[in-house]
Amino acid sequence: SKSSSIMMASIGEFDPLNTRVPATKIECVFSFLHASFLASTPPLSLPVVVLYLQAVGTKEWREFGRTEVIDNTRNPDFVRKFVLDFFFEEKQNLRFDVYNVDSRSCNISKHDFLGQTFCTLGEIIGSTGGRLERTLSGIPGKKCGVIILTAEELSNCRDIATMQLCANKLDKKDFFGKSDPFLVFYRSNEDGTFTICHKTEVIKNTLNPVWQSFTIPVRALCNGDYDRTVKVDVYDWDRDGSHDFIGEFTTSYRELSRGQNQFNVYEVRHNMEMACYFIPPSSYKDLPTSLHYMSPYQMNAYAMALKAVGEIIQDYDSDKLFPAYGFGAKLPPDGKISHAFPLNGDNDNPNCVGIEGVLETYFQSLRAVQLYGPTNFAPVINKVANCAAEITDGSQYFVLLMITDGVISDMVQTKEAVVNAASLPLSIIIVGVGPAEFDAMEELDGDEVRVSSRGRLAERDIVQFVPFRDYIDRSGNQVLSMARLAKDVLAEIPDQLLSFMKSRGIEPRPALSSSPLPQLHRHI
């Protein structure tokens, strides 16, 4: 399950007393709109801004990311954005350090410090239009300038746009030679301002440039509003950062999309021709950064975890038919959200043939559904528990394998589901993939403290959790990674099976050829 944006009317209109807000967590894009430095800044600066987040418990400042470096300017407009989760009930402290890059060192302390400021994410979101201006400080006796910070809620649009641009007969701005043109794209904001969202490369010494094609998420271009204005400025690059303005034009995503397989032409003092080619609507699972990304060269983390555990445990299932479910997605054709849907789309028969069948169905499902949050565990656990409750005579034992990258959104309900399931012939394996913190999963594991709900302790420990990142082989050997993972997650299953049988006084059947062994079922 992949967490997604939760929609609000507008970040600029956010009101903590507004009962229309459906949840406390939203996904917002956070950007540095502009920074302005005073005369104390070196004439040919290469500024970069570093964002730090403060840990809640330790109060330690941890680097979250850096902007790109802007060449030779005291007033940079940064393109790089940061995506943060906003929690209304939490104080999320942010720190912004500005440096002048003066070497190739990745160690930020090796560069010249220009100033810093502190604020909370709530301050930015709560400011008018989601735009906060702060004075930089940190150098005694010097004025360090100001920085403007903006935040906007991300739409749930997953479209990706790929476009290529060219221009004809641009103005000649250089005394010697021709122009060195580049383009800057701006997304319009609700308050009438513009936020930079993309820069092309510079094409040297030409009045008829052809820029390289580039890909940009549509929500970065217009936040999913197809009719929102997109402004494009054309500049002639200068080494000292004083780029000459050539012209501009405005358009929209809807207008650009009409140019598929043909040219859209815009007037920029002279003609500029733009050719736009669009990738069909998709989800970020199609991007290489997604944990669900289907690379032609190697399995993603979900597939590796599924295959590692499944290939071992399937040997104990007699019919090799495995029900497979997904949790956290919008389903076609009406976009209904489900937290327990059959991956093959068949509610009457969710079975897949063998572990290879499960993998194939998983990949097919990724193409059919839109991943969506929140991440609820209880529906799937209850579904499998209902199956296990029908057969408690020891002839069958169920194993639920859950693979997830998100935090648990329904922890109270999940705890209750685990406590209820602990009296059934069922074990639960949870594999956490990705870089997230998995504190809630550790709590469910119950090795140290037995899971409880409403004052009831789980009858026995039935949950085993492992983070997949702990098993990734440094040499990139997937086979070794999968073997290590399978060994650890399956280590507790025999004892959990025996603990259930003993608690019910179920004795092993005589080893007769006519008496089948207990069948081990696996639900994924």
Side-chain angles (χ1 to χ4, degrees):
S1 168
K2 180 66 177 178
S3 297
S4 299
S5 310
I6 297 175
M7 297 301 296
M8 290 171 48
S10 168
I11 286 296
E13 299 171 359
F14 177 74
D15 181 351
L17 300 180
N18 190 339
T19 57
R20 293 177 300 166
V21 178
T24 56
K25 174 183 174 180
I26 63 173
E27 187 183 13
C28 64
V29 62
F30 168 76
S31 64
F32 306 93
L33 178 62
H34 185 77
S36 177
F37 311 113
L38 301 181
S40 60
T41 306
L44 297 180
S45 292
L46 299 172
V48 63
V49 178
V50 185
L51 168 61
Y52 295 88
L53 307 184
Q54 189 175 44
V56 176
T58 64
K59 302 300 181 182
E60 175 187 1
W61 288 104
R62 300 172 181 172
E63 181 178 333
F64 183 83
R66 305 180 186 185
T67 66
E68 74 278 16
V69 178
I70 305 293
D71 289 344
N72 301 334
T73 180
R74 297 179 181 177
N75 302 287
D77 288 325
F78 297 101
V79 174
R80 187 166 299 163
K81 309 296 189 293
F82 301 106
V83 177
L84 303 175
D85 287 326
F86 168 65
F87 299 89
F88 167 69
E89 70 275 17
E90 295 182 10
K91 185 176 182 180
Q92 295 169 267
N93 293 319
L94 311 178
R95 186 182 100 204
F96 310 93
D97 289 1
V98 185
Y99 288 87
N100 176 39
V101 176
D102 58 3
S103 73
R104 295 183 178 180
S105 175
C106 294
N107 186 344
I108 198 65
S109 65
K110 301 294 184 182
H111 304 287
D112 296 330
F113 178 72
L114 299 180
Q116 68 180 184
T117 193
F118 300 81
C119 69
T120 66
L121 183 56
E123 285 182 280
I124 304 174
I125 292 177
S127 59
T128 303
R131 176 188 173 104
L132 180 67
E133 182 173 327
R134 278 294 170 90
T135 300
L136 296 168
S137 61
I139 303 178
K142 288 187 178 181
K143 294 182 178 180
C144 302
V146 298
I147 187 169
I148 300 172
L149 313 167
T150 64
E152 182 176 15
E153 181 193 1
L154 286 178
S155 77
N156 131 6
C157 175
R158 302 293 181 180
D159 293 2
I160 305 293
T162 297
M163 62 183 76
Q164 184 171 20
L165 301 96
C166 60
N168 292 326
K169 300 178 182 178
L170 292 178
D171 279 358
K172 180 177 180 296
K173 293 294 182 179
D174 293 340
F175 186 77
F176 296 104
K178 301 176 182 179
S179 294
D180 304 320
F182 69 97
L183 304 177
V184 182
F185 283 71
Y186 299 90
R187 179 184 71 248
S188 61
N189 303 314
E190 294 184 359
D191 62 358
T193 61
F194 288 89
T195 299
I196 187 171
C197 58
H198 182 75
K199 284 182 182 179
T200 67
E201 77 280 11
V202 177
I203 305 294
K204 292 293 188 71
N205 196 31
T206 181
L207 302 180
N208 302 289
V210 178
W211 288 278
Q212 295 178 8
S213 63
F214 66 91
T215 297
I216 184 173
V218 171
R219 68 183 189 181
L221 189 68
C222 61
N223 205 23
D225 180 354
Y226 289 5
D227 297 307
R228 183 183 292 202
T229 298
V230 176
K231 184 166 74 81
V232 183
D233 287 351
V234 189
Y235 287 96
D236 171 36
W237 179 84
D238 285 327
R239 185 178 300 275
D240 63 2
S242 59
H243 311 305
D244 298 317
F245 179 73
I246 294 177
E248 67 177 29
F249 65 89
T250 59
T251 182
S252 67
Y253 175 79
R254 192 180 302 279
E255 184 177 345
L256 291 171
S257 65
R258 296 193 185 107
Q260 188 168 354
N261 299 324
Q262 62 183 3
F263 285 116
N264 276 337
V265 180
Y266 300 92
E267 185 75 19
V268 190
R269 296 187 180 175
H270 296 283
N271 286 338
M272 166 171 288
E273 294 180 344
M274 171 184 285
C276 305
Y277 304 93
F278 290 83
I279 297 174
S282 61
S283 130
Y284 280 128
K285 63 179 178 284
D286 299 317
L287 298 181
T289 53
S290 168
L291 293 168
H292 286 286
Y293 177 62
M294 294 181 286
S295 168
Y297 307 108
Q298 62 181 9
M299 290 185 293
N300 64 32
Y302 284 86
M304 287 176 64
L306 198 157
K307 187 176 178 68
V309 178
E311 285 192 339
I312 293 178
I313 210 170
Q314 74 175 347
D315 290 343
Y316 303 93
D317 189 295
S318 59
D319 62 12
K320 303 296 186 291
L321 294 178
F322 307 117
Y325 295 94
F327 53 103
K330 286 185 175 180
L331 308 183
D334 55 1
K336 181 181 179 181
I337 299 172
S338 174
H339 297 289
F341 61 93
L343 290 185
N344 64 5
D346 189 343
N347 285 296
D348 296 327
N349 182 18
N351 289 324
C352 303
V353 180
I355 191 61
E356 292 302 325
V358 176
L359 283 167
E360 182 180 352
T361 305
Y362 160 62
F363 290 128
Q364 290 175 350
S365 179
L366 281 180
R367 300 185 182 98
V369 305
Q370 178 188 344
L371 304 181
Y372 206 79
T375 304
N376 293 342
F377 276 32
V380 168
I381 295 175
N382 289 331
K383 180 180 284 290
V384 178
N386 289 337
C387 296
E390 296 178 359
I391 308 171
T392 59
D393 61 358
S395 62
Q396 295 189 18
Y397 193 86
F398 294 75
V399 174
L400 169 62
L401 169 62
M402 304 183 72
I403 308 172
T404 179
D405 71 342
V407 297
I408 302 176
S409 304
D410 61 341
M411 189 61 175
V412 173
Q413 295 86 344
T414 297
K415 283 184 176 181
E416 183 172 7
V418 169
V419 170
N420 292 336
S423 61
L424 301 172
L426 172 65
S427 289
I428 301 172
I429 297 172
I430 304 175
V431 179
V433 296
E437 295 295 330
F438 294 113
D439 294 345
M441 316 294 182
E442 298 284 3
E443 186 176 349
L444 291 178
D445 192 294
D447 284 342
E448 302 296 332
V449 179
R450 188 68 58 84
V451 179
S452 63
S453 173
R454 300 184 182 183
R456 290 190 303 137
L457 283 175
E459 182 177 311
R460 58 196 182 92
D461 177 19
I462 63 170
V463 178
Q464 169 75 343
F465 165 75
V466 295
F468 185 75
R469 58 177 175 250
D470 291 354
Y471 297 87
I472 297 177
D473 184 72
R474 293 183 179 179
S475 66
N477 186 327
Q478 286 194 347
V479 175
L480 187 57
S481 298
M482 293 162 63
R484 291 172 176 168
L485 173 71
K487 180 180 179 181
D488 275 12
V489 299
L490 296 174
E492 295 184 9
I493 297 297
D495 285 341
Q496 291 176 1
L497 185 148
L498 288 175
S499 69
F500 172 78
M501 299 299 180
K502 289 179 179 179
S503 69
R504 299 297 183 270
I506 300 173
E507 297 291 334
R509 292 178 179 178
L512 299 177
S513 58
S514 60
S515 299
L517 293 173
Q519 183 175 342
L520 189 64
H521 278 269
R522 187 178 82 260
H523 296 256
I524 301 176

